[in-house]
Amino acid sequence: MVPFKRKELRQHFRKLRNQLDKEQQNIVAQAALQTCLQTTELSKLKTVACYLANDGELDPSAIIEYCWQHNIQVVLPVLDPNNSGHLVFVEYQANSQMQINTYGIAEPAITQYNQVPLQNIDLVFTPLVAFDQQGNRLGMGGGYYDRTLAPIKRNNLNTQLIGLAHNCQQANKLPTDGWDIPLHGIVTPKQFFKID
Ligand SMILES: Nc1nc2c(c(=O)[nH]1)N(C=O)[C@@H](CNc1ccc(C(=O)N[C@@H](CCC(=O)O)C(=O)O)cc1)CN2
Ligand SMILES: Nc1ncnc2c1ncn2[C@@H]1O[C@H](COP(=O)(O)OP(=O)(O)OP(=O)(O)O)[C@@H](O)[C@H]1O
C-alpha cells in the first residue's frame, strides 16, 4: 500500500539525513552553495525562497548569506494562519522578528507588509526527505509544499522549483500521486540533477 510505503521511506531517509554531525553539515552547506552558483542563475535572481534547516535537512544558511550579500530578497515558508495546510512566503532579513511554529521551526512573524506572493518568487528551494532522478519529491508528509506550489503547474508560473538535499537522500524511484509537484532540479553538495 502506498501510504505505508511512504511512511517507511520517510523513516529510512530521515534517519540517513540525521547522521551528519554539525561540522559535516557546515561543510556540505558550503558545497551546496557552490553547486547552486555553478548550476543555477542564483546571482541574477531578485527573490528566492529558502527554509531554515530542521531534522538533518541540508542547511541553506550559506545560500541565505550569499543572497543577503548580493541584495537578493530571501523569503521563508510560514504556516498560513488563514488557510490550513498551506504556506505563505514571508520576507526574511537578518533582523526579522521570529516565532516558533507548531513543528518547532522558526519562521518570520507575519506583518501587514512582508508577505510575498508566489508569482513574485523566482526560485523556491524546497526541503525534502527524499528525491529521485525523475524530480519526484517526498516531504515530511504534511502536503504543505504540494498545496502551496500547485499554482506553478496550474497557472504556468515561471517560478523555478529546486530541491536541496544531501546525496544520501537520493532514492531509486519514489511513489507518486496526482497532487505531487515535480521539481525542476535538485541541488546536492556534489552535483546538480537537472530534470527535463
Ligand atoms: N525546514 C523546514 N521548514 C518547513 C517544512 C520543512 O519540511 N522543513 N515544511 C514542509 O512542509 C513546513 C512544515 N511542515 C512540517 C511538517 C511535518 C513536520 C514533522 O516533523 N512532522 C512529524 C513527523 C511526521 C512523520 O514522520 O510522519 C513530527 O512532528 O515529528 C515538520 C514540518 C514548513 N516549514
Ligand atoms: N494539492 C493538494 N490538494 C489537496 N490535498 C493535498 C494536496 N497535496 C497534498 N495533499 C494532501 O496532503 C497529504 C500529504 O501529502 P504528501 O505525502 O505528498 O506530503 P509531502 O510532500 O511529503 O509533504 P510537504 O509538502 O509538507 O513536505 C496527502 O495525503 C494529501 O491528502
Side-chain angles (χ1 to χ4, degrees):
M1 279 217 326
V2 170
F4 189 66
K5 205 165 166 225
R6 280 179 185 247
K7 196 176 156 197
E8 284 183 338
L9 286 167
R10 267 190 199 102
Q11 277 173 353
H12 172 76
F13 284 101
R14 284 183 67 185
K15 205 167 154 191
L16 279 185
R17 74 178 184 184
N18 272 293
Q19 280 169 359
L20 297 182
D21 64 30
K22 192 121 186 64
E23 198 190 328
Q24 291 167 317
Q25 281 284 3
N26 288 338
I27 293 168
V28 293
Q30 289 296 334
L33 169 61
Q34 293 312 317
T35 306
C36 279
L37 292 175
Q38 285 156 16
T39 60
T40 71
E41 303 273 81
L42 184 62
S43 64
K44 296 184 189 150
L45 304 179
K46 282 217 276 291
T47 302
V48 169
C50 284
Y51 58 87
L52 296 185
N54 173 54
D55 191 57
E57 290 165 344
L58 185 73
D59 185 353
S61 56
I63 298 173
I64 293 174
E65 283 295 334
Y66 174 91
C67 290
W68 283 344
Q69 283 165 13
H70 292 81
N71 285 319
I72 301 166
Q73 184 184 42
V74 177
V75 297
L76 293 180
V78 172
L79 304 184
D80 188 342
N82 302 314
N83 197 359
S84 166
H86 290 250
L87 304 169
V88 289
F89 290 100
V90 175
E91 182 167 29
Y92 178 47
Q93 294 171 320
N95 64 354
S96 291
Q97 196 196 322
M98 305 298 283
Q99 59 192 27
I100 306 293
N101 69 25
T102 49
Y103 301 107
I105 304 171
E107 51 181 41
I110 298 175
T111 70
Q112 216 176 329
Y113 308 106
N114 62 4
Q115 286 190 47
V116 177
L118 190 56
Q119 63 265 28
N120 292 2
I121 303 176
D122 302 307
L123 190 158
V124 177
F125 285 116
T126 72
L128 55 84
V129 174
F131 69 94
D132 67 19
Q133 289 230 40
Q134 280 71 53
N136 298 308
R137 166 184 178 278
L138 181 74
M140 288 295 275
Y144 288 98
Y145 274 94
D146 288 331
R147 289 190 199 88
T148 306
L149 301 177
I152 294 181
K153 197 157 120 183
R154 200 167 51 226
N155 304 337
N156 253 318
L157 300 184
N158 281 326
T159 309
Q160 279 288 306
L161 209 55
I162 307 288
L164 277 186
H166 301 290
N167 292 87
C168 64
Q169 291 173 264
Q170 184 176 0
N172 237 342
K173 190 160 178 15
L174 290 173
T176 56
D177 265 308
W179 57 74
D180 286 336
I181 309 292
L183 302 167
H184 300 122
I186 300 102
V187 163
T188 71
K190 291 198 180 136
Q191 71 190 106
F192 181 65
F193 295 87
K194 188 179 184 323
I195 313 298
D196 305 315

PDB file of all heavy atoms in Angstrom, residues 66-94:
ATOM      1  N   TYR A  66      24.633  34.356   1.112  1.00  0.00           N
ATOM      2  CA  TYR A  66      25.019  34.810  -0.231  1.00  0.00           C
ATOM      3  C   TYR A  66      23.953  35.773  -0.773  1.00  0.00           C
ATOM      4  O   TYR A  66      24.273  36.843  -1.303  1.00  0.00           O
ATOM      5  CB  TYR A  66      25.185  33.614  -1.175  1.00  0.00           C
ATOM      6  CG  TYR A  66      25.445  34.041  -2.604  1.00  0.00           C
ATOM      7  CD1 TYR A  66      26.748  34.218  -3.073  1.00  0.00           C
ATOM      8  CD2 TYR A  66      24.388  34.304  -3.478  1.00  0.00           C
ATOM      9  CE1 TYR A  66      26.988  34.643  -4.377  1.00  0.00           C
ATOM     10  CE2 TYR A  66      24.620  34.738  -4.773  1.00  0.00           C
ATOM     11  CZ  TYR A  66      25.914  34.904  -5.219  1.00  0.00           C
ATOM     12  OH  TYR A  66      26.150  35.336  -6.494  1.00  0.00           O
ATOM     13  N   CYS A  67      22.694  35.399  -0.653  1.00  0.00           N
ATOM     14  CA  CYS A  67      21.596  36.236  -1.169  1.00  0.00           C
ATOM     15  C   CYS A  67      21.597  37.596  -0.489  1.00  0.00           C
ATOM     16  O   CYS A  67      21.504  38.637  -1.160  1.00  0.00           O
ATOM     17  CB  CYS A  67      20.254  35.545  -0.962  1.00  0.00           C
ATOM     18  SG  CYS A  67      20.035  34.096  -2.008  1.00  0.00           S
ATOM     19  N   TRP A  68      21.704  37.593   0.840  1.00  0.00           N
ATOM     20  CA  TRP A  68      21.710  38.883   1.560  1.00  0.00           C
ATOM     21  C   TRP A  68      22.858  39.759   1.069  1.00  0.00           C
ATOM     22  O   TRP A  68      22.681  40.959   0.861  1.00  0.00           O
ATOM     23  CB  TRP A  68      21.838  38.633   3.064  1.00  0.00           C
ATOM     24  CG  TRP A  68      20.556  38.175   3.717  1.00  0.00           C
ATOM     25  CD1 TRP A  68      19.291  38.259   3.202  1.00  0.00           C
ATOM     26  CD2 TRP A  68      20.415  37.587   5.020  1.00  0.00           C
ATOM     27  NE1 TRP A  68      18.381  37.739   4.094  1.00  0.00           N
ATOM     28  CE2 TRP A  68      19.038  37.327   5.217  1.00  0.00           C
ATOM     29  CE3 TRP A  68      21.307  37.250   6.034  1.00  0.00           C
ATOM     30  CZ2 TRP A  68      18.540  36.759   6.393  1.00  0.00           C
ATOM     31  CZ3 TRP A  68      20.809  36.677   7.199  1.00  0.00           C
ATOM     32  CH2 TRP A  68      19.441  36.439   7.378  1.00  0.00           C
ATOM     33  N   GLN A  69      24.028  39.147   0.887  1.00  0.00           N
ATOM     34  CA  GLN A  69      25.194  39.943   0.465  1.00  0.00           C
ATOM     35  C   GLN A  69      25.040  40.484  -0.952  1.00  0.00           C
ATOM     36  O   GLN A  69      25.697  41.448  -1.324  1.00  0.00           O
ATOM     37  CB  GLN A  69      26.464  39.090   0.544  1.00  0.00           C
ATOM     38  CG  GLN A  69      26.956  38.922   1.969  1.00  0.00           C
ATOM     39  CD  GLN A  69      27.989  37.799   2.088  1.00  0.00           C
ATOM     40  OE1 GLN A  69      28.502  37.318   1.085  1.00  0.00           O
ATOM     41  NE2 GLN A  69      28.261  37.382   3.309  1.00  0.00           N
ATOM     42  N   HIS A  70      24.205  39.826  -1.764  1.00  0.00           N
ATOM     43  CA  HIS A  70      24.056  40.253  -3.156  1.00  0.00           C
ATOM     44  C   HIS A  70      22.690  40.889  -3.427  1.00  0.00           C
ATOM     45  O   HIS A  70      22.249  40.945  -4.572  1.00  0.00           O
ATOM     46  CB  HIS A  70      24.303  39.065  -4.094  1.00  0.00           C
ATOM     47  CG  HIS A  70      25.732  38.616  -4.076  1.00  0.00           C
ATOM     48  ND1 HIS A  70      26.241  37.795  -3.087  1.00  0.00           N
ATOM     49  CD2 HIS A  70      26.762  38.905  -4.897  1.00  0.00           C
ATOM     50  CE1 HIS A  70      27.528  37.591  -3.314  1.00  0.00           C
ATOM     51  NE2 HIS A  70      27.871  38.252  -4.401  1.00  0.00           N
ATOM     52  N   ASN A  71      22.067  41.368  -2.349  1.00  0.00           N
ATOM     53  CA  ASN A  71      20.783  42.067  -2.481  1.00  0.00           C
ATOM     54  C   ASN A  71      19.700  41.248  -3.166  1.00  0.00           C
ATOM     55  O   ASN A  71      18.885  41.782  -3.923  1.00  0.00           O
ATOM     56  CB  ASN A  71      20.952  43.400  -3.224  1.00  0.00           C
ATOM     57  CG  ASN A  71      21.581  44.421  -2.329  1.00  0.00           C
ATOM     58  OD1 ASN A  71      21.234  44.496  -1.132  1.00  0.00           O
ATOM     59  ND2 ASN A  71      22.517  45.177  -2.856  1.00  0.00           N
ATOM     60  N   ILE A  72      19.718  39.954  -2.935  1.00  0.00           N
ATOM     61  CA  ILE A  72      18.643  39.083  -3.407  1.00  0.00           C
ATOM     62  C   ILE A  72      17.691  38.892  -2.222  1.00  0.00           C
ATOM     63  O   ILE A  72      18.135  38.537  -1.127  1.00  0.00           O
ATOM     64  CB  ILE A  72      19.206  37.719  -3.882  1.00  0.00           C
ATOM     65  CG1 ILE A  72      20.208  37.927  -5.021  1.00  0.00           C
ATOM     66  CG2 ILE A  72      18.068  36.778  -4.283  1.00  0.00           C
ATOM     67  CD1 ILE A  72      21.071  36.703  -5.326  1.00  0.00           C
ATOM     68  N   GLN A  73      16.412  39.182  -2.448  1.00  0.00           N
ATOM     69  CA  GLN A  73      15.444  39.070  -1.352  1.00  0.00           C
ATOM     70  C   GLN A  73      15.253  37.590  -0.976  1.00  0.00           C
ATOM     71  O   GLN A  73      15.082  36.743  -1.858  1.00  0.00           O
ATOM     72  CB  GLN A  73      14.106  39.659  -1.795  1.00  0.00           C
ATOM     73  CG  GLN A  73      13.051  39.675  -0.692  1.00  0.00           C
ATOM     74  CD  GLN A  73      11.703  40.181  -1.198  1.00  0.00           C
ATOM     75  OE1 GLN A  73      11.268  39.833  -2.292  1.00  0.00           O
ATOM     76  NE2 GLN A  73      11.062  41.016  -0.404  1.00  0.00           N
ATOM     77  N   VAL A  74      15.253  37.298   0.328  1.00  0.00           N
ATOM     78  CA  VAL A  74      15.035  35.928   0.819  1.00  0.00           C
ATOM     79  C   VAL A  74      13.667  35.858   1.490  1.00  0.00           C
ATOM     80  O   VAL A  74      13.318  36.728   2.297  1.00  0.00           O
ATOM     81  CB  VAL A  74      16.128  35.524   1.831  1.00  0.00           C
ATOM     82  CG1 VAL A  74      15.851  34.130   2.401  1.00  0.00           C
ATOM     83  CG2 VAL A  74      17.514  35.560   1.187  1.00  0.00           C
ATOM     84  N   VAL A  75      12.894  34.837   1.132  1.00  0.00           N
ATOM     85  CA  VAL A  75      11.629  34.602   1.835  1.00  0.00           C
ATOM     86  C   VAL A  75      11.655  33.186   2.411  1.00  0.00           C
ATOM     87  O   VAL A  75      12.368  32.312   1.910  1.00  0.00           O
ATOM     88  CB  VAL A  75      10.395  34.783   0.908  1.00  0.00           C
ATOM     89  CG1 VAL A  75      10.301  36.207   0.401  1.00  0.00           C
ATOM     90  CG2 VAL A  75      10.415  33.796  -0.267  1.00  0.00           C
ATOM     91  N   LEU A  76      10.904  33.001   3.497  1.00  0.00           N
ATOM     92  CA  LEU A  76      10.822  31.692   4.153  1.00  0.00           C
ATOM     93  C   LEU A  76       9.367  31.226   4.202  1.00  0.00           C
ATOM     94  O   LEU A  76       8.440  32.054   4.222  1.00  0.00           O
ATOM     95  CB  LEU A  76      11.345  31.784   5.596  1.00  0.00           C
ATOM     96  CG  LEU A  76      12.830  32.068   5.812  1.00  0.00           C
ATOM     97  CD1 LEU A  76      13.128  32.111   7.312  1.00  0.00           C
ATOM     98  CD2 LEU A  76      13.714  31.035   5.110  1.00  0.00           C
ATOM     99  N   PRO A  77       9.156  29.887   4.262  1.00  0.00           N
ATOM    100  CA  PRO A  77       7.789  29.374   4.396  1.00  0.00           C
ATOM    101  C   PRO A  77       7.268  29.600   5.812  1.00  0.00           C
ATOM    102  O   PRO A  77       7.990  29.381   6.784  1.00  0.00           O
ATOM    103  CB  PRO A  77       7.950  27.872   4.119  1.00  0.00           C
ATOM    104  CG  PRO A  77       9.352  27.569   4.538  1.00  0.00           C
ATOM    105  CD  PRO A  77      10.159  28.811   4.250  1.00  0.00           C
ATOM    106  N   VAL A  78       6.010  30.041   5.900  1.00  0.00           N
ATOM    107  CA  VAL A  78       5.346  30.245   7.191  1.00  0.00           C
ATOM    108  C   VAL A  78       3.998  29.537   7.100  1.00  0.00           C
ATOM    109  O   VAL A  78       3.305  29.655   6.071  1.00  0.00           O
ATOM    110  CB  VAL A  78       5.149  31.760   7.453  1.00  0.00           C
ATOM    111  CG1 VAL A  78       4.292  32.004   8.697  1.00  0.00           C
ATOM    112  CG2 VAL A  78       6.505  32.449   7.597  1.00  0.00           C
ATOM    113  N   LEU A  79       3.636  28.762   8.121  1.00  0.00           N
ATOM    114  CA  LEU A  79       2.337  28.079   8.115  1.00  0.00           C
ATOM    115  C   LEU A  79       1.242  29.142   8.022  1.00  0.00           C
ATOM    116  O   LEU A  79       1.192  30.070   8.838  1.00  0.00           O
ATOM    117  CB  LEU A  79       2.152  27.245   9.393  1.00  0.00           C
ATOM    118  CG  LEU A  79       3.240  26.202   9.704  1.00  0.00           C
ATOM    119  CD1 LEU A  79       2.860  25.388  10.938  1.00  0.00           C
ATOM    120  CD2 LEU A  79       3.513  25.295   8.512  1.00  0.00           C
ATOM    121  N   ASP A  80       0.377  29.014   7.011  1.00  0.00           N
ATOM    122  CA  ASP A  80      -0.632  30.049   6.755  1.00  0.00           C
ATOM    123  C   ASP A  80      -1.686  30.017   7.859  1.00  0.00           C
ATOM    124  O   ASP A  80      -2.408  29.024   7.999  1.00  0.00           O
ATOM    125  CB  ASP A  80      -1.270  29.795   5.384  1.00  0.00           C
ATOM    126  CG  ASP A  80      -2.188  30.922   4.944  1.00  0.00           C
ATOM    127  OD1 ASP A  80      -2.609  31.729   5.815  1.00  0.00           O
ATOM    128  OD2 ASP A  80      -2.495  31.006   3.754  1.00  0.00           O
ATOM    129  N   PRO A  81      -1.810  31.088   8.666  1.00  0.00           N
ATOM    130  CA  PRO A  81      -2.779  31.076   9.766  1.00  0.00           C
ATOM    131  C   PRO A  81      -4.218  31.106   9.253  1.00  0.00           C
ATOM    132  O   PRO A  81      -5.145  30.758   9.977  1.00  0.00           O
ATOM    133  CB  PRO A  81      -2.453  32.354  10.555  1.00  0.00           C
ATOM    134  CG  PRO A  81      -1.708  33.234   9.607  1.00  0.00           C
ATOM    135  CD  PRO A  81      -1.050  32.347   8.587  1.00  0.00           C
ATOM    136  N   ASN A  82      -4.415  31.492   7.981  1.00  0.00           N
ATOM    137  CA  ASN A  82      -5.775  31.623   7.439  1.00  0.00           C
ATOM    138  C   ASN A  82      -6.166  30.494   6.494  1.00  0.00           C
ATOM    139  O   ASN A  82      -7.286  30.460   6.002  1.00  0.00           O
ATOM    140  CB  ASN A  82      -5.913  32.954   6.672  1.00  0.00           C
ATOM    141  CG  ASN A  82      -5.602  34.135   7.560  1.00  0.00           C
ATOM    142  OD1 ASN A  82      -6.093  34.195   8.685  1.00  0.00           O
ATOM    143  ND2 ASN A  82      -4.775  35.034   7.068  1.00  0.00           N
ATOM    144  N   ASN A  83      -5.257  29.603   6.190  1.00  0.00           N
ATOM    145  CA  ASN A  83      -5.528  28.572   5.195  1.00  0.00           C
ATOM    146  C   ASN A  83      -4.756  27.315   5.596  1.00  0.00           C
ATOM    147  O   ASN A  83      -3.612  27.112   5.193  1.00  0.00           O
ATOM    148  CB  ASN A  83      -5.091  29.110   3.818  1.00  0.00           C
ATOM    149  CG  ASN A  83      -5.682  28.319   2.679  1.00  0.00           C
ATOM    150  OD1 ASN A  83      -6.412  27.355   2.898  1.00  0.00           O
ATOM    151  ND2 ASN A  83      -5.360  28.712   1.458  1.00  0.00           N
ATOM    152  N   SER A  84      -5.442  26.489   6.390  1.00  0.00           N
ATOM    153  CA  SER A  84      -4.794  25.324   6.980  1.00  0.00           C
ATOM    154  C   SER A  84      -4.194  24.414   5.907  1.00  0.00           C
ATOM    155  O   SER A  84      -4.802  24.175   4.863  1.00  0.00           O
ATOM    156  CB  SER A  84      -5.864  24.594   7.798  1.00  0.00           C
ATOM    157  OG  SER A  84      -5.421  23.333   8.120  1.00  0.00           O
ATOM    158  N   GLY A  85      -2.982  23.918   6.138  1.00  0.00           N
ATOM    159  CA  GLY A  85      -2.316  23.021   5.186  1.00  0.00           C
ATOM    160  C   GLY A  85      -1.531  23.753   4.117  1.00  0.00           C
ATOM    161  O   GLY A  85      -0.879  23.122   3.286  1.00  0.00           O
ATOM    162  N   HIS A  86      -1.612  25.087   4.117  1.00  0.00           N
ATOM    163  CA  HIS A  86      -0.890  25.887   3.127  1.00  0.00           C
ATOM    164  C   HIS A  86       0.220  26.695   3.796  1.00  0.00           C
ATOM    165  O   HIS A  86       0.191  26.928   5.006  1.00  0.00           O
ATOM    166  CB  HIS A  86      -1.840  26.861   2.427  1.00  0.00           C
ATOM    167  CG  HIS A  86      -2.820  26.189   1.521  1.00  0.00           C
ATOM    168  ND1 HIS A  86      -2.788  26.286   0.155  1.00  0.00           N
ATOM    169  CD2 HIS A  86      -3.868  25.390   1.815  1.00  0.00           C
ATOM    170  CE1 HIS A  86      -3.759  25.580  -0.368  1.00  0.00           C
ATOM    171  NE2 HIS A  86      -4.451  25.035   0.622  1.00  0.00           N
ATOM    172  N   LEU A  87       1.161  27.141   2.972  1.00  0.00           N
ATOM    173  CA  LEU A  87       2.234  28.025   3.432  1.00  0.00           C
ATOM    174  C   LEU A  87       2.056  29.397   2.796  1.00  0.00           C
ATOM    175  O   LEU A  87       1.504  29.507   1.696  1.00  0.00           O
ATOM    176  CB  LEU A  87       3.592  27.481   2.984  1.00  0.00           C
ATOM    177  CG  LEU A  87       3.945  26.055   3.396  1.00  0.00           C
ATOM    178  CD1 LEU A  87       5.195  25.579   2.646  1.00  0.00           C
ATOM    179  CD2 LEU A  87       4.190  25.987   4.902  1.00  0.00           C
ATOM    180  N   VAL A  88       2.538  30.431   3.469  1.00  0.00           N
ATOM    181  CA  VAL A  88       2.763  31.717   2.805  1.00  0.00           C
ATOM    182  C   VAL A  88       4.267  31.968   2.860  1.00  0.00           C
ATOM    183  O   VAL A  88       4.972  31.395   3.714  1.00  0.00           O
ATOM    184  CB  VAL A  88       1.994  32.894   3.465  1.00  0.00           C
ATOM    185  CG1 VAL A  88       0.507  32.776   3.186  1.00  0.00           C
ATOM    186  CG2 VAL A  88       2.249  32.967   4.965  1.00  0.00           C
ATOM    187  N   PHE A  89       4.773  32.768   1.933  1.00  0.00           N
ATOM    188  CA  PHE A  89       6.193  33.087   1.938  1.00  0.00           C
ATOM    189  C   PHE A  89       6.374  34.503   2.461  1.00  0.00           C
ATOM    190  O   PHE A  89       5.691  35.437   2.030  1.00  0.00           O
ATOM    191  CB  PHE A  89       6.782  32.915   0.539  1.00  0.00           C
ATOM    192  CG  PHE A  89       6.862  31.473   0.131  1.00  0.00           C
ATOM    193  CD1 PHE A  89       5.905  30.907  -0.704  1.00  0.00           C
ATOM    194  CD2 PHE A  89       7.867  30.650   0.628  1.00  0.00           C
ATOM    195  CE1 PHE A  89       5.962  29.565  -1.051  1.00  0.00           C
ATOM    196  CE2 PHE A  89       7.936  29.300   0.286  1.00  0.00           C
ATOM    197  CZ  PHE A  89       6.982  28.760  -0.557  1.00  0.00           C
ATOM    198  N   VAL A  90       7.272  34.633   3.441  1.00  0.00           N
ATOM    199  CA  VAL A  90       7.427  35.883   4.182  1.00  0.00           C
ATOM    200  C   VAL A  90       8.888  36.322   4.119  1.00  0.00           C
ATOM    201  O   VAL A  90       9.803  35.485   4.250  1.00  0.00           O
ATOM    202  CB  VAL A  90       6.977  35.693   5.652  1.00  0.00           C
ATOM    203  CG1 VAL A  90       7.224  36.931   6.485  1.00  0.00           C
ATOM    204  CG2 VAL A  90       5.499  35.312   5.705  1.00  0.00           C
ATOM    205  N   GLU A  91       9.094  37.623   3.911  1.00  0.00           N
ATOM    206  CA  GLU A  91      10.460  38.142   3.786  1.00  0.00           C
ATOM    207  C   GLU A  91      11.288  37.841   5.041  1.00  0.00           C
ATOM    208  O   GLU A  91      10.790  37.926   6.165  1.00  0.00           O
ATOM    209  CB  GLU A  91      10.442  39.652   3.534  1.00  0.00           C
ATOM    210  CG  GLU A  91      11.859  40.152   3.349  1.00  0.00           C
ATOM    211  CD  GLU A  91      11.956  41.555   2.792  1.00  0.00           C
ATOM    212  OE1 GLU A  91      11.030  42.357   3.047  1.00  0.00           O
ATOM    213  OE2 GLU A  91      12.959  41.840   2.138  1.00  0.00           O
ATOM    214  N   TYR A  92      12.543  37.479   4.818  1.00  0.00           N
ATOM    215  CA  TYR A  92      13.451  37.141   5.922  1.00  0.00           C
ATOM    216  C   TYR A  92      14.687  38.019   5.822  1.00  0.00           C
ATOM    217  O   TYR A  92      15.405  37.968   4.819  1.00  0.00           O
ATOM    218  CB  TYR A  92      13.827  35.666   5.824  1.00  0.00           C
ATOM    219  CG  TYR A  92      14.794  35.182   6.882  1.00  0.00           C
ATOM    220  CD1 TYR A  92      14.608  35.492   8.230  1.00  0.00           C
ATOM    221  CD2 TYR A  92      15.867  34.379   6.536  1.00  0.00           C
ATOM    222  CE1 TYR A  92      15.486  35.016   9.199  1.00  0.00           C
ATOM    223  CE2 TYR A  92      16.753  33.895   7.501  1.00  0.00           C
ATOM    224  CZ  TYR A  92      16.552  34.218   8.825  1.00  0.00           C
ATOM    225  OH  TYR A  92      17.412  33.754   9.788  1.00  0.00           O
ATOM    226  N   GLN A  93      14.899  38.834   6.866  1.00  0.00           N
ATOM    227  CA  GLN A  93      16.101  39.660   6.941  1.00  0.00           C
ATOM    228  C   GLN A  93      16.838  39.304   8.222  1.00  0.00           C
ATOM    229  O   GLN A  93      16.277  38.660   9.113  1.00  0.00           O
ATOM    230  CB  GLN A  93      15.714  41.143   6.934  1.00  0.00           C
ATOM    231  CG  GLN A  93      15.085  41.550   5.609  1.00  0.00           C
ATOM    232  CD  GLN A  93      14.492  42.939   5.632  1.00  0.00           C
ATOM    233  OE1 GLN A  93      13.879  43.357   6.623  1.00  0.00           O
ATOM    234  NE2 GLN A  93      14.640  43.665   4.536  1.00  0.00           N
ATOM    235  N   ALA A  94      18.089  39.752   8.328  1.00  0.00           N
ATOM    236  CA  ALA A  94      18.906  39.394   9.496  1.00  0.00           C
ATOM    237  C   ALA A  94      18.217  39.823  10.796  1.00  0.00           C
ATOM    238  O   ALA A  94      18.376  39.163  11.836  1.00  0.00           O
ATOM    239  CB  ALA A  94      20.283  40.016   9.370  1.00  0.00           C
TER     240      ALA A  94
END
